[in-house]
Amino acid sequence: MNHDPDLAYRTLSRDANIAEYTQETATGQIIKHTVSRTGENVKYKLVTFKIDDPENPKNWSKAYKWWVTMVIAIMCFIVALCSSIITPGIDDMAREFGVSEEVALLSITLFVVGFGLGPMAFAPMSEVLGRRIVYVSTLGVSVIFHIPCALSKNIQTLLVCRAISGIAISAPMTLVGGSLADLWKNEERGVPMAVFSAAPFMGPAIGPLIGGYLANSNGWRWLYWLQLIVSGAIYAILTFTVKETYAPKILTDRAKRLRKETGDMSYVTEEEIDRRPFSETVKIFCVRPFQLLFGELIVLLLSLYMSVLYGLLYMFFVAYPVVYEEGKHWDRGPTGLMFIPLAVGVCSSACFSPLVNAHYLKLHKKYNGNPPPEMRLIPMMFSCFFIPIGLFIFAWCSYPNVHWAGSMMGGFPVGFGFIFLYNACNNYLVDTYQSQAASALAAKTFLRSMWGAATVLFTTQMYHKMGYQWASSFLAFLSLLCCAIPFCFYFFGARIRKHSKFAAVYDENAVPDPEKNYGH
């Protein structure tokens, strides 16, 4: 299944010709005959990319495509870094402003809430205006609002600016998957997606490591100055080196140019002539994600699963200081070092992602090019157990008198499992919902961000009341319970999809070719 959820399915009418954006033609145009609102027969020339067109992002040089990939992956890393790097400075900030730890933790919560709210606006903006303008404008706003955070004289200023910065900086997380789909052909996308997938999970793992030593040596305000420096640097690189990648935007600009140069008004794109009514577009962007979230069992359970995982990541920001600083009486710097196995686990799983992609390509051939979406769940069914294993290790090695190496190494299997689960979930939703996939992913992002934002507010209390071992064990049992979800959908997903209003219809006759043995 070669379906791109990031094309303009949500802004174009059902009669629009998506082939304009997916096919290269010898003439650079597709003739479209239609009837105007006045009843006249009209002939349009839909502008397409020509064969081997240098303006088609998929035809750009490999070196430049990798440059763009690395720039936007680093952007995602920095976004995630900004969410977690302030954790070691929470206590100092709370003391300076005379507020409780819970109020100080709102600086993380409000930032992460922005990850759920921002995409609701930035996704539709990118489908209308293009990727680049959304990247540049939103990241620019976020960079600016790091300054009042660093200079704030009271907690109110910091929290408001932190909330604005979180909403603005969420755009890269929302758009990067689409940008990679713009750049790379389906068969080329495995390794770039692995690089991108590691970035959002590396940031939260590296943030407390850097933040611990920086807060000790320079104070908590420098945690915000560092965010300004790194986000400002990537903003400059993005602005001056990354071009527009969104095909509908590139072709719309070309159509305008052709009309101006030739005087022929029949040069158009589907974006210009076949848009949905504005009210319908707003409904799709704002209402459809929640229709899928609460009306589709697949979207609901997978969103809950990803929310549990995302919540675990942010719980670690608070749980590690509790276990190591309170329990073992460590300083913030060494506590940050405990996140290293988590980061190594993420990197290790990213290295295996191309192998997972290669296995799926074998299944793609085995099912004659039309594998059921449930084949995407195979990596999830194996990797889901790494999370509870790591949490149980962390839990029962977290006694103050037990050597730190045991609890530290519990982070490795947790990090190792994250990317496999994250990618498999996204791929399953895309294959299941196809033209509705962007809305399904938006629903997942919204729920996981809201839950991730909430977890930091009660983690300390949970660890104090339940004890280090049973608090972590509770999370382990919860993640173990979630392991049933991919197995449930692997065996019953096809039956569930038959009763769905939004799931794509698959050819039930697409069965494995018995003459082919791919040894899975």
Side-chain angles (χ1 to χ4, degrees):
M1 174 57 56
N2 295 329
H3 181 81
D4 181 3
D6 296 289
L7 283 174
Y9 294 99
R10 296 186 291 181
T11 56
L12 295 180
S13 75
R14 295 181 180 179
D15 298 325
N17 188 352
I18 295 294
E20 176 187 11
Y21 304 120
T22 59
Q23 296 179 10
E24 295 180 330
T25 63
T27 60
Q29 59 184 254
I30 296 174
I31 302 300
K32 177 174 181 175
H33 295 276
T34 188
V35 179
S36 71
R37 292 178 181 176
T38 59
E40 299 178 70
N41 290 322
V42 182
K43 183 178 81 171
Y44 288 117
K45 299 172 183 175
L46 297 180
V47 177
T48 71
F49 290 119
K50 294 183 179 179
I51 294 173
D52 297 326
D53 196 318
E55 290 189 25
N56 185 347
K58 287 185 171 63
N59 295 332
W60 292 348
S61 70
K62 278 258 177 93
Y64 183 66
K65 288 198 287 187
W66 268 111
W67 170 260
V68 175
T69 298
M70 294 309 298
V71 168
I72 57 181
I74 291 170
M75 262 199 303
C76 280
F77 169 78
I78 290 172
V79 170
L81 182 82
C82 289
S83 73
S84 65
I85 195 172
I86 66 170
T87 309
I90 290 294
D91 289 340
D92 291 345
M93 183 181 69
R95 279 193 295 270
E96 181 172 331
F97 290 143
V99 297
S100 66
E101 181 186 357
E102 287 77 17
V103 173
L105 283 169
L106 286 173
S107 57
I108 299 174
T109 295
L110 293 175
F111 194 82
V112 179
V113 164
F115 291 178
L117 298 179
M120 295 297 178
F122 301 142
M125 284 172 61
S126 74
E127 293 184 19
V128 175
L129 304 175
R131 316 274 192 216
R132 189 177 184 279
I133 186 64
V134 177
Y135 278 134
V136 171
S137 59
T138 57
L139 189 57
V141 170
S142 181
V143 170
I144 292 170
F145 275 88
H146 289 317
I147 299 172
C149 287
L151 297 174
S152 56
K153 301 298 183 184
N154 54 63
I155 191 67
Q156 292 88 345
T157 300
L158 189 145
L159 293 181
V160 169
C161 294
R162 188 75 172 154
I164 295 171
S165 181
I167 292 172
I169 210 170
S170 68
M173 294 292 212
T174 308
L175 305 183
V176 165
S179 295
L180 294 184
D182 296 340
L183 289 168
W184 300 95
K185 298 173 183 175
N186 287 283
E187 62 272 17
E188 301 172 328
R189 212 176 291 168
V191 177
M193 281 302 294
V195 172
F196 154 63
S197 298
F201 296 106
M202 285 294 292
I206 298 297
L209 170 59
I210 300 172
Y213 287 102
L214 186 60
N216 275 347
S217 60
N218 294 78
W220 68 268
R221 292 184 186 274
W222 261 97
L223 300 176
Y224 292 97
W225 289 123
L226 182 62
Q227 292 176 60
L228 174 66
I229 292 167
V230 295
S231 60
I234 199 65
Y235 176 74
I237 293 170
L238 170 77
T239 302
F240 293 109
T241 68
V242 174
K243 299 185 290 187
E244 178 60 64
T245 64
Y246 191 48
K249 170 64 174 171
I250 296 171
L251 292 176
T252 296
D253 290 344
R254 178 180 287 188
K256 291 177 181 177
R257 190 169 65 246
L258 286 171
R259 290 198 297 269
K260 184 176 180 180
E261 291 172 355
T262 66
D264 186 349
M265 295 296 108
S266 65
Y267 284 110
V268 295
T269 63
E270 290 284 14
E271 278 285 313
E272 296 174 298
I273 64 170
D274 223 345
R275 277 187 174 279
R276 294 179 187 269
F278 179 75
S279 58
E280 187 179 338
T281 302
V282 170
K283 180 180 177 182
I284 289 174
F285 278 108
C286 298
V287 177
R288 184 62 50 79
F290 297 102
Q291 287 180 316
L292 290 166
L293 181 61
F294 299 112
E296 293 287 312
L297 185 64
I298 290 174
V299 177
L300 177 62
L301 291 184
L302 287 177
S303 297
L304 288 173
Y305 192 4
M306 292 303 107
S307 298
V308 168
L309 296 181
Y310 205 62
L312 286 175
L313 199 58
Y314 282 91
M315 280 179 156
F316 281 164
F317 301 161
V318 182
Y320 274 44
V322 170
V323 169
Y324 295 108
E325 292 177 31
E326 291 184 16
K328 297 183 184 295
H329 307 292
W330 285 13
D331 204 351
R332 289 176 293 195
T335 297
L337 295 175
M338 297 299 100
F339 284 90
I340 290 177
L342 185 67
V344 172
V346 170
C347 288
S348 300
S349 60
C351 294
F352 280 95
S353 292
L355 297 178
V356 174
N357 188 61
H359 176 256
Y360 180 75
L361 291 177
K362 290 182 180 178
L363 293 176
H364 192 269
K365 293 179 181 177
K366 185 174 182 179
Y367 281 87
N368 301 313
N370 193 31
E374 285 69 36
M375 294 299 103
R376 294 288 197 178
L377 295 171
I378 294 174
M380 207 174 188
M381 293 160 66
F382 288 100
S383 60
C384 63
F385 296 104
F386 284 106
I387 308 296
I389 287 172
L391 287 170
F392 279 125
I393 293 172
F394 177 73
W396 296 101
C397 292
S398 62
Y399 288 99
N401 59 341
V402 173
H403 195 275
W404 53 265
S407 55
M408 179 187 186
M409 291 312 298
F412 178 82
V414 173
F416 190 81
F418 269 141
I419 289 183
F420 291 121
L421 292 168
Y422 179 81
N423 282 350
C425 172
N426 283 358
N427 288 329
Y428 183 54
L429 288 176
V430 168
D431 283 4
T432 299
Y433 292 98
Q434 295 193 23
S435 62
Q436 305 290 337
S439 295
L441 295 175
K444 174 186 69 77
T445 300
F446 178 83
L447 189 63
R448 78 170 195 192
S449 298
M450 295 301 108
W451 178 245
T455 55
V456 298
L457 299 177
F458 61 79
T459 301
T460 300
Q461 294 90 327
M462 184 176 79
Y463 270 76
H464 286 164
K465 290 184 178 181
M466 297 180 68
Y468 303 166
Q469 294 74 41
W470 283 108
S472 297
S473 294
F474 171 75
L475 300 176
F477 284 119
L478 184 61
S479 62
L480 186 61
L481 181 65
C482 289
C483 290
I485 293 174
F487 288 90
C488 171
F489 290 139
Y490 183 80
F491 292 108
F492 302 106
R495 200 176 306 173
I496 294 170
R497 285 189 283 109
K498 284 183 179 178
H499 299 284
S500 168
K501 293 195 317 184
F502 297 104
V505 178
Y506 273 75
D507 181 7
E508 299 299 330
N509 295 320
V511 296
D513 187 336
E515 298 300 319
K516 297 178 181 178
N517 180 15
Y518 292 95
H520 81 91

